Amino acid sequence: MKVVVIGGTGLIGSKVVAGLGEHGHEVVAAAPSTGVNTLTGEGLADVLKGASVVVDVSNSPSFEDQAVMDFFRASTTNLLKAETEAGVAHHLALSVVGTERLQGSGYFRAKQVQEDLIKASGNPYSIVHATQFFEFAKGLADGVTQGDTVHLPDARIQPIVSDDVAAAVVRTAVGDPVGGVVEVAGPEAFQLEEFIRMGLTAQDDPRKIVTDPQATYWGAELEENTLLPGPDAHIAGTRFDDWLTRQR
């Protein structure tokens, strides 16, 4: 098959491109740097010619509330329209476990709009919901640091390595459209404080970490299990501690 990966030069996209190539498919990494811009529609018609599957793992260049909403609304609308015109048989998008429960966040409101547009499009689709990536522990901490202290909500998280997310995306892309959501998560659940402490300690980051009842997650209030997958999630095999050991 010809598979077009939107956001194919990024962290997940480059791994998806490699994985699909190993399966023998014709894979095109599409991004503004390769002449394909879903926000403006530039290059979409050409790149989708002959494509059977489109995998969208793109992300907004800005996480400011209005900018991220504008990105996902315009990008998804343009992409779905171009896919319909090109006769693409399967649209797959990567999203986040708990998106529907995180609507206090502008970013997750935008991701919900993306998912709603896909579901309403009439195009055959699959949505892969992944938990937070191992690689983003430091970035998550940076977003809730005040002075030298990281303020985290009292909640649990079941993070996953990006390699396992990409493998789940590849597996879903080469299958039939599921017409719904597939969840994927890592093998272990942690308290947010424990996850961030492990990640920062491995990088010799001396920041103090506290659980703060007023803290939010990208602007959204959390309950204990907001970020956890459901019982039918695919559980990947890579443990956080093993991954951290390999980074040293």
Side-chain angles (χ1 to χ4, degrees), residues 18-220:
L20 288 166
E22 290 170 2
H23 281 72
H25 300 292
E26 177 190 354
V27 192
V28 180
S33 62
T34 68
V36 179
N37 189 325
T38 54
L39 191 57
T40 64
E42 177 191 359
L44 275 180
D46 287 339
V47 80
L48 294 185
K49 287 177 182 176
S52 298
V53 182
V54 169
V55 174
D56 184 7
V57 294
S58 62
N59 212 346
S60 173
S62 168
F63 281 16
E64 186 274 325
D65 283 4
Q66 191 58 53
V68 75
M69 179 64 77
D70 290 345
F71 174 84
F72 280 115
R73 191 187 300 278
S75 176
T76 305
T77 298
N78 289 337
L79 189 53
L80 291 168
K81 180 176 183 290
E83 288 174 19
T84 299
E85 293 170 352
V88 172
H90 188 183
H91 176 96
L92 185 154
L94 178 62
S95 193
V96 185
V97 164
T99 290
E100 71 282 2
R101 302 187 292 270
L102 291 163
Q103 294 300 290
S105 162
Y107 180 81
F108 290 104
R109 287 195 297 273
K111 290 297 288 183
Q112 188 64 58
V113 165
Q114 177 191 27
E115 293 188 27
D116 291 345
L117 287 167
I118 293 166
K119 293 172 183 177
S121 69
N123 296 20
Y125 74 92
S126 303
I127 297 172
V128 175
H129 272 190
T131 52
Q132 181 63 271
F133 302 168
F134 292 172
E135 289 90 342
F136 292 166
K138 182 181 183 299
L140 176 56
D142 292 346
V144 289
T145 294
Q146 300 172 23
D148 63 353
T149 303
V150 181
H151 293 256
L152 294 167
D154 186 12
R156 299 169 73 211
I157 194 167
Q158 195 165 331
I160 184 171
V161 71
S162 61
D163 288 346
D164 289 343
V165 176
V169 170
V170 169
R171 185 170 57 248
T172 306
V174 300
D176 293 331
V178 302
V181 173
V182 176
E183 289 189 325
V184 60
E188 303 164 292
F190 304 93
Q191 290 300 124
L192 257 175
E193 182 179 342
E194 180 185 11
F195 169 57
I196 298 302
R197 179 172 284 108
M198 290 174 68
L200 294 187
T201 298
Q203 299 182 49
D204 298 319
D205 189 318
R207 279 178 285 181
K208 180 182 177 182
I209 300 169
V210 298
T211 296
D212 180 349
Q214 304 302 315
T216 61
Y217 185 84
W218 304 116

